[in-house]
Amino acid sequence: MKIVTNLEHYDKEKFPELVVALGNFDGVHLGHQEIIRQMIKRSNRIGAMAAVFTFKENPQRVLHKDE
């Protein structure tokens, strides 16, 4: 596992295919584990890189700052 904070150095030529799990992974409970397992399964099937994109802050705090 490699933690990346931005895609600045993502090698598009080396990994042209990317399978992503996008979400607010606030812990890795059974539901999150299954999402990640399925993502890896699909990426392996097509020879793609697997990645989990999550958020530094809860998206609701960013989207609804005034609430």
Side-chain angles (χ1 to χ4, degrees):
M1 176 175 70
K2 183 175 182 182
I3 297 174
V4 179
T5 57
N6 64 54
L7 294 176
E8 183 178 326
H9 301 291
Y10 176 69
D11 189 345
K12 214 170 172 181
E13 290 181 22
K14 187 175 179 183
F15 300 104
E17 301 291 330
L18 182 64
V19 177
V20 175
L22 173 65
N24 184 29
F25 292 90
D26 53 349
V28 187
H29 55 71
L30 292 177
H32 289 148
Q33 290 175 35
E34 184 60 25
I35 290 169
I36 293 168
R37 203 175 355 267
Q38 291 297 321
M39 175 203 51
I40 291 171
K41 187 176 172 181
R42 290 178 188 200
S43 69
N44 286 338
R45 195 176 323 142
I46 64 171
M49 175 180 262
V52 173
F53 284 10
T54 190
F55 305 93
K56 191 172 189 176
E57 283 191 55
N58 185 311
Q60 294 303 319
R61 287 190 192 143
V62 175
L63 295 172
H64 304 287
K65 289 181 183 180
D66 298 332
E67 294 179 18

